[in-house]
């Protein structure tokens, strides 16, 4: 009992004397590799039982001083942020329960900002719940109130709170922060990867952005990058400190320049149109004049300085503006309240098919138009009708050059990929896959069963090979080609060989030992054993790309030697290149 009284007294003294220290932790934007903003974090007095923020807020809740502490924390964080002149946005933690407290005063945060000289547009209110919030309607009202003052809203610790998912669906925050529990060890946990991926897809559908908290290792960072997370926060970049950095070392990011392949793909930049934009503090009357004077204008992109917030859409806006009292009621107000935030934003180098998938799978997205960015700044807009037109052309062209059985790229795309690698002087490995004893199997069991085997092999390749970094092609018949640029290619090939051997027996209808008797290519009857898979690999270094190479011949040599090995096997063929000559690679393949 004595300890509780001391804690109560200590907390009252802390609040009265404002004896709190502020730490900041950067929030990193992956695309730009820059600091997007900082989360303000509070610490109690050093060498006291209330130094820990967890104990501090638990004590405040228990002694009914949470509202006072929460407001003091906002004041301290805002003042410190201004004093350090930190760039970007400030994430201010707010417990929703304080909104329901009788001592909560509307506009108190705005007063602190005015005193500190900080634009409200730089503030993101981060809702952090320590207790259940059941009054969703009041929460919605509070969020609307914050947005009218120019703030944006983030929902903290998604997946950890009492009502996080319910709050997300009801208040539609601008940002959701995924709880650190789902990030720790995500590189080794498929379930966590699926959860975060599902959150990302849901956020896209609901018009929210995603921040993952608790990123501590390079492997966690790499996994989240691969999933497509936009912003990250955690010890991997920086611990919470009283004076945080304003820039981050490039060594923290994967030292991997943007692949030139991206530029050679047909990207969304191909259908980019000029955008009309306005700042968030622009008046409703000004936007109305824009739409009225420009009948063909369908949308205006709204910016907070250079950050894209969303769109004002002609149809939605004019229904309000042209109503009986619309202009009189809203004309002098800022355009912020009429922004449609459920508009897809994509980088200009994103392939058209990726954009199509995101646009057509979003639940509440505005589909007719989307925003195109260049390193997170406005670059233009795109239209769904133009996107679908180009996608149709792509699919027709792809079908023309694809193998009709497996739908994998055929000889023409294979040659184009090799041309690209030679042109860039990239090192790569080309692997020639061939089935042993496939013809006798085909003769005995028929073409239908043979086609099943070919489709099985193609699926095996697709499942095991990352086609975002490598290339898979089907030359024809039982000949497949894979072009690897990743270093783990041998591990991948061995996995494919093992899985092939484990599954191929199932195609033999229970034949003992999978032995069959039929005629060979010379017309002689003989016994043939179970099918195996031979892989001939040719290693092409960057220096080899300056030499005359007959890749078709070299791959055939590698395949022939692999077929002489017993069972499913991999043969690695080292090129024997003489003096360099003008690069005249020969890379056409024939089945």
């Amino acid at each position: 009992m004595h300890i509780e009284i001391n804690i109560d007294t200590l907390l009252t003294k802390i609040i009265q004397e404002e004896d709190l220290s502020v730490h900041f932790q950067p929030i990193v934007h992956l695309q730009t590799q820059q600091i997007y903003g900082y989360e303000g974090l509070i610490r109690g007095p050093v060498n006291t039982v209330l130094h820990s923020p967890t104990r501090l807020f638990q004590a405040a809740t228990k002694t009914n001083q949470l509202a006072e502490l929460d407001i003091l924390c906002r004041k301290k964080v805002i003042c410190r942020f201004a004093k350090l002149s930190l760039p970007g946005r400030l994430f201010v933690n707010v417990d929703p329960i304080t909104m329901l407290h009788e001592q909560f005063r509307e506009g108190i945060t705005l007063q602190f900002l005015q005193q500190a000289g900080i634009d409200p547009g730089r503030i993101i209110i981060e809702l952090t719940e320590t207790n259940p919030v059941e009054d969703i309607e009041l929460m919605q009202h509070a969020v609307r109130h914050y947005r009218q003052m120019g703030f944006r809203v983030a929902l903290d610790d998604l997946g950890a709170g009492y009502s996080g998912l319910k709050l997300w669906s009801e208040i539609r925050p601008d940002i959701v922060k995924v709880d650190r529990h789902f990030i720790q060890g995500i590189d080794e946990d498929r379930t966590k990867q699926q959860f975060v991926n599902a959150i990302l897809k849901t956020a896209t559908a609901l018009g929210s952005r995603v921040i993952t908290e608790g990123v501590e290792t390079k492997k966690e960072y790499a996994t989240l990058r691969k999933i497509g997370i936009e912003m990250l926060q955690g010890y991997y970049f920086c611990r919470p400190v009283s004076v945080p950095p304003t820039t981050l070392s490039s060594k923290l990011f994967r030292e991997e320049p943007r692949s030139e392949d991206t530029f050679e793909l047909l990207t969304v930049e191909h259908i980019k149109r000029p955008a009309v934009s306005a700042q968030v503090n622009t008046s409703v009357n000004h936007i109305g004049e824009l739409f009225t004077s420009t009948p063909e204008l369908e949308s205006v992109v709204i910016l907070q300085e250079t950050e894209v917030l969303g769109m004002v859409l002609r149809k939605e806006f004019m229904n309000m503006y042209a109503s009986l009292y619309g202009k009189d009621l809203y004309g002098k107000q800022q355009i912020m309240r009429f922004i449609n935030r459920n508009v897809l934003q994509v980088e200009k180098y994103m392939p058209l098919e990726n954009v199509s998938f995101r646009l057509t799978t979003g639940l509440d997205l505005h589909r007719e138009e989307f925003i195109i960015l260049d390193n997170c700044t406005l670059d233009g807009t795109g239209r769904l009708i133009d996107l679908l037109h180009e996608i149709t052309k792509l699919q027709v062209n792809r079908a023309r050059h694809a193998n009709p059985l497996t739908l994998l790229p055929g000889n023409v795309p294979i040659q184009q990929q090799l041309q690209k690698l030679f042109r860039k002087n990239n090192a790569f490995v080309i692997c020639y896959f061939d089935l042993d004893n496939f013809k006798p199997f085909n003769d005995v069991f028929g073409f239908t069963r043979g086609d099943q085997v070919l489709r099985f092999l193609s699926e095996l390749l697709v499942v095991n090979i990352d086609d975002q970094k490598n290339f898979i092609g089907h030359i024809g018949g039982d000949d497949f080609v894979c072009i690897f640029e990743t270093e783990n290619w041998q591990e991948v090939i061995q996995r494919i060989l093992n899985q092939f051997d484990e599954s191929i027996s199932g195609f033999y209808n229970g034949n003992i030992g999978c032995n069959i008797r039929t005629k060979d290519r010379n017309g002689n009857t003989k016994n043939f054993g179970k099918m195996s898979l031979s892989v001939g690999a040719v290693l092409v270094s960057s220096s080899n790309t300056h030499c005359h190479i007959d890749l078709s011949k070299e791959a055939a040599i590698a395949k022939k030697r692999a077929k002489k090995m017993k069972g499913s096997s991999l043969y690695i063929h080292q090129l024997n290149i003489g003096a360099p000559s003008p690069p005249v690679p020969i890379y056409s393949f024939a089945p």
Side-chain angles (χ1 to χ4, degrees):
M1 185 68 179
H2 179 65
I3 295 176
E4 290 184 1
I5 294 174
N6 287 342
I7 289 177
D8 190 357
T9 303
L10 176 60
L11 180 60
T12 301
K13 182 181 178 183
I14 288 172
I15 294 174
Q16 289 175 348
E17 298 180 359
E18 300 187 359
D19 190 11
L20 298 172
S21 59
V22 181
H23 286 57
F24 294 98
Q25 187 173 37
I27 294 167
V28 181
H29 194 284
L30 212 73
Q31 184 72 28
T32 61
Q33 299 185 2
Q34 295 177 352
I35 295 174
Y36 174 81
Y38 299 84
E39 180 180 357
L41 301 165
I42 289 294
R43 301 287 185 268
V46 179
N47 298 325
T48 69
V49 293
L50 297 184
H51 176 66
S52 160
T54 302
R55 289 187 177 182
L56 182 67
F57 282 92
Q58 285 176 346
T61 301
K62 193 171 183 179
T63 59
N64 198 31
Q65 299 182 77
L66 183 59
E68 295 94 324
L69 178 63
D70 187 83
I71 292 171
L72 175 60
C73 289
R74 296 185 216 180
K75 177 182 177 182
K76 297 284 288 186
V77 166
I78 290 169
C79 290
R80 181 67 177 167
F81 184 79
K83 184 176 181 180
L84 294 176
S85 299
L86 293 175
R89 291 84 183 160
L90 173 61
F91 286 69
V92 179
N93 287 294
V94 172
D95 193 311
I97 203 69
T98 63
M99 299 180 187
L100 315 178
H101 199 282
E102 61 180 4
Q103 293 187 359
F104 175 74
R105 304 197 310 275
E106 292 186 346
I108 187 76
T109 307
L110 197 58
Q111 293 176 23
F112 295 150
L113 292 171
Q114 290 170 344
Q115 293 167 4
I118 297 176
D119 184 346
R122 297 177 63 193
I123 301 300
I124 297 168
I125 299 296
E126 187 170 323
L127 302 180
T128 305
E129 55 170 341
T130 55
N131 296 282
V133 177
E134 298 178 357
D135 195 339
I136 297 295
E137 186 176 343
L138 188 57
M139 282 288 297
Q140 291 172 323
H141 171 74
V143 169
R144 285 194 299 269
H145 175 71
Y146 277 129
R147 282 181 171 152
Q148 287 172 359
M149 290 191 292
F151 304 146
R152 276 166 285 173
V153 176
L155 183 59
D156 191 23
D157 294 337
L158 186 69
Y162 297 95
S163 53
L165 290 175
K166 184 176 181 181
L167 276 177
W168 187 10
S169 65
E170 295 290 344
I171 70 175
R172 298 294 181 91
D174 303 283
I175 296 171
V176 291
K177 299 183 75 174
V178 182
D179 183 64
R180 67 184 66 247
H181 165 77
F182 298 99
I183 308 306
Q184 292 174 347
I186 191 172
D187 52 300
E188 298 178 348
D189 193 325
R190 181 63 179 165
T191 300
K192 289 183 177 181
Q193 293 173 23
Q194 291 173 337
F195 177 85
V196 173
N197 192 50
I199 289 294
L200 184 59
K201 290 180 179 178
T202 305
T204 298
L206 296 179
S208 300
R209 305 172 80 173
V210 175
I211 297 173
T212 52
E213 298 182 294
V215 183
E216 296 187 359
T217 69
K218 190 170 185 177
K219 289 184 177 180
E220 291 171 353
Y221 157 74
T223 301
L224 292 167
R225 178 183 181 127
K226 186 175 181 180
I227 290 173
I229 294 299
E230 181 186 12
M231 291 183 279
L232 305 96
Q233 177 182 355
Y235 288 179
Y236 174 71
F237 296 102
C238 182
R239 290 174 175 269
V241 288
S242 58
V243 182
T246 55
T247 60
L248 296 172
S249 170
S250 60
K251 293 181 180 180
L252 290 170
F253 303 91
R254 191 165 58 185
E255 296 177 7
E256 191 175 285
R258 188 193 300 275
S259 171
E260 293 181 19
D261 292 353
T262 309
F263 295 91
E264 297 183 21
L265 292 171
L266 196 57
T267 64
V268 72
E269 186 178 25
H270 182 73
I271 59 172
K272 182 181 69 178
R273 297 159 58 90
V276 175
S277 64
Q279 287 294 319
V280 70
N281 57 0
T282 302
S283 71
V284 169
N285 277 337
H286 180 75
I287 300 299
E289 290 169 4
L290 274 177
F291 281 124
T292 303
S293 62
T294 317
E296 68 276 11
L297 183 63
E298 293 298 324
S299 64
V300 176
V301 180
I302 304 302
L303 307 176
Q304 178 83 47
E305 296 179 353
T306 61
E307 183 180 1
V308 177
L309 300 184
M311 273 182 171
V312 174
L313 304 171
R314 169 184 281 275
K315 186 175 180 180
E316 294 178 356
F317 177 85
M318 294 306 289
N319 283 342
M320 174 280 299
Y321 191 70
S323 62
L324 185 59
Y325 299 108
K327 188 173 181 179
D328 294 333
L329 286 173
Y330 305 110
K332 295 182 180 180
Q333 294 186 17
Q334 295 183 0
I335 195 61
M336 171 176 287
R337 65 177 299 178
F338 299 104
I339 299 174
N340 187 325
R341 298 173 187 268
N342 294 339
V343 178
L344 182 65
Q345 300 183 31
V346 297
E347 285 289 333
K348 68 179 183 180
Y349 298 119
M350 181 177 286
L352 288 174
E353 290 173 307
N354 292 13
V355 179
S356 176
F357 176 79
R358 292 184 62 183
L359 195 62
T360 55
T361 56
L363 297 179
D364 294 328
L365 283 178
H366 173 68
R367 288 186 169 81
E368 282 71 24
E369 256 188 306
F370 51 92
I371 298 168
I372 299 174
L373 308 174
D374 182 2
N375 281 332
C376 301
T377 59
L378 179 63
D379 195 49
T381 60
R383 298 190 306 173
L384 176 63
I385 189 169
D386 297 332
L387 176 66
L388 295 179
H389 177 70
E390 293 299 330
I391 289 289
T392 302
K393 286 168 58 178
L394 275 176
Q395 291 173 339
V396 170
N397 186 59
R398 183 173 298 161
R400 184 183 300 125
H401 298 299
N403 184 282
L405 177 65
T406 61
L407 300 181
L408 290 174
N411 205 13
V412 171
I414 293 171
Q415 293 182 44
Q416 291 173 343
Q417 178 68 10
L418 289 169
Q419 285 176 355
K420 186 190 306 178
L421 294 172
F422 272 89
R423 189 164 59 249
K424 297 190 305 181
N425 298 326
N426 277 15
F428 62 92
V429 179
I430 182 164
C431 293
Y432 201 152
F433 290 75
D434 185 56
L435 290 169
D436 307 315
N437 295 332
F438 177 70
K439 184 180 182 302
F441 175 89
N442 218 25
D443 292 342
V444 171
F445 291 100
F447 291 108
T448 300
R449 183 64 60 85
D451 287 349
Q452 290 177 2
V453 171
L454 295 178
R455 281 194 290 267
F456 159 69
L457 177 55
S458 71
E459 291 169 2
L460 207 56
L461 299 178
V462 170
V463 167
N464 284 282
I465 298 173
D466 183 356
D467 61 358
Q468 298 295 313
K469 301 176 182 177
N470 307 295
F471 182 90
I472 310 169
H474 186 180
I475 302 169
D478 61 329
D479 293 297
F480 293 79
V481 164
C482 294
I483 304 170
F484 289 93
E485 294 187 78
T486 51
E487 295 180 355
N488 68 334
W489 68 272
Q490 289 190 59
E491 176 188 330
V492 173
I493 295 294
Q494 192 56 57
R495 186 164 63 243
I496 291 170
L497 295 176
N498 292 340
Q499 292 176 3
F500 181 88
D501 287 342
E502 290 170 0
S503 304
I504 195 61
S505 299
F507 292 93
Y508 279 83
N509 285 349
N511 281 32
I512 297 175
C514 299
N515 290 314
I516 56 177
R517 187 172 178 81
T518 187
K519 292 181 179 180
D520 61 15
R521 296 180 185 274
N522 298 319
N524 301 318
T525 302
K526 58 182 294 186
N527 292 324
F528 294 90
K530 181 172 62 173
M531 278 184 288
S532 56
L533 182 61
S534 294
V535 185
V538 179
L539 278 59
V540 182
S541 68
S542 56
S543 60
N544 294 153
T545 59
H546 296 285
C547 304
H548 179 90
I549 303 173
D550 187 339
L551 270 184
S552 178
K553 178 181 177 181
E554 300 293 342
I557 292 172
K559 182 187 76 168
K560 185 176 180 180
R561 292 179 180 174
K563 290 178 78 68
K564 289 183 178 180
M565 300 169 71
K566 186 177 180 180
S568 294
S569 54
L570 166 66
Y571 179 84
I572 301 175
H573 180 53
Q574 300 286 348
L575 289 175
N576 184 18
I577 303 297
S581 60
V584 188
I586 303 172
Y587 31 64
S588 60
F589 288 86

